[in-house]
Amino acid sequence: MRIVELNENTKKNLLEDLLKRSPNQYTQYEETVAAIVADVRERRDMALLEYTEKFDHVQINAENIRVTEEEFAEAYRAVDPEVLRVIRAAIQNIKAYHMLQKRNSWFDAQENGIILGQKVTPIASVGVYVPGGKAAYPSSVLMNILPAKVAGVERIVMTTPPGKDGKVNEGTLVAAKEAGVTEIYKAGGAQAVAALAFGTQSIPKVDKIVGPGNIFVALAKKAVYGHVSIDSIAGPSEILVIADETANPRYVAADLLSQAEHDELASAILVTTSRGVAEKVNAEIEGFLGGLSRRDILTKSIENYGYILIAQNLNEAVDAANEIASEHLEIVTRNPFEVMTKIKNAGAIFLGEYSSEPLGDYFAGPNHILPTNGTAKFFSPLSVDDFVKKSSIISYSREALEKVHKDIELFAKAEGLTAHANSIAVRFEK
């Protein structure tokens, strides 16, 4: 990995480099995605099935597009019982964490005849997109479905691309079933997003679409936003570690590689106050690479977006971390909780040398669907809040309105909206 001194120039160059990975930079694909979305909206199942054959190289029809109970049963037989045990243990942790996020409706009744409040209602139907292809991620299935279940969503529709054999990965199916999915359809890519957004003969329209995917999925979600709600536009994975001289270089190297293995665009950054730690981490990374299965991806990721930055002090390291606003942030310092209080921008924060990032990916409970590409400055992790909507409640008695009606009429007339003013005034005509 590149070892460079942290200064304004290196930070500026790094940020520019990282932002190149954003889905918003891939405008050359927007026209293609828009055409697919429009075609599915117009021709519905016919277009959806044609694109499935074209891109996934498998023939799916209206009779077999939905996963059957027999396919679920087959998946349960194929999954290692120990893996199923771990999935169920993870579900308990994830569900317990998200239960703490639940909000209740509230009302504030005042003595003067005014009642104000907020009504919290679950979204009726949600579409969960789950990537297929080379890798299957049952953990992401849990992270998308369980907050929706906790929120009270009635219909959770999942789409995922089938393999060439027309089947869905057994781990994906079992995780979805355990989490409480309503139905699963064998469709992927931009065409699946369009089907969820507008509905086809086979796939019902939903109110919101969540879940990560490739650049075509990300751009399709962007294209249908407004017709439905979406969670966010996900970019490549990233990790940033803040470390001082007390950090274990071997642990830090392993954690950096844990995210770099996702794909060639993944970013792994170490910001440290110790050059000695920087050099040892670099050596440990070289040592690890030879024994890891995704060595080619790791090598490209580190060459393209791997950095070790030497900071003068922890305050400078924190400033850099806040500017980068990483998806995953690990703090491995003498007093990580103290450093954490200075962090303003991060998707998820891991404190101490035994809080490795994969703990959050699989088991601890907090959601691992996180803001990427610096969007942690204004976005949050996926949560129960993403699956509810809020309505304001207003109730005034005649006596309460009488005290303020002239003020409201004055305000309305000042804006030139005399019908607004009249709506209040008619209630006090003599």
Side-chain angles (χ1 to χ4, degrees), residues 219-238:
L219 291 175
K221 286 170 69 177
K222 183 179 178 182
V224 301
Y225 177 65
H227 298 282
V228 292
S229 178
I230 63 171
D231 50 353
S232 63
I233 308 295
S237 190
E238 54 201 26

Side-chain angles (χ1 to χ4, degrees), residues 32 59 113 123 126 158 170 315 340 345 376 378 380 394 406 408 411:
T32 300
Q59 288 188 337
I123 293 173
V126 169
M158 191 174 105
E170 61 269 13
N315 284 336
M340 180 268 294
N345 305 319
F378 46 84
S380 304
I394 302 169
K406 291 184 178 178
I408 300 169
F411 211 153

Side-chain angles (χ1 to χ4, degrees), residues 340-360:
M340 180 268 294
T341 63
K342 301 175 184 177
I343 296 297
K344 298 177 181 177
N345 305 319
I349 304 172
F350 301 79
L351 303 174
E353 64 181 10
Y354 293 103
S355 303
S356 176
E357 188 281 333
L359 179 65

Side-chain angles (χ1 to χ4, degrees), residues 9 58 93 100 129 137 243 258 292 301 365 369:
N9 282 335
V58 60
N93 292 341
L100 297 173
Y129 185 90
Y137 298 109
S258 74
L292 297 171
S301 170
I369 310 295

Side-chain angles (χ1 to χ4, degrees), residues 2 6-7 14 34 81 83 116 132 138 192 194 203 207 235 239 278 322 337 351 365 399 402 412:
R2 287 160 284 192
L6 177 61
N7 55 46
L14 170 60
V83 173
L116 302 177
I203 299 180
D207 297 316
I239 184 171
N322 281 328
F337 283 88
L351 303 174
E399 291 73 22
E402 189 171 18

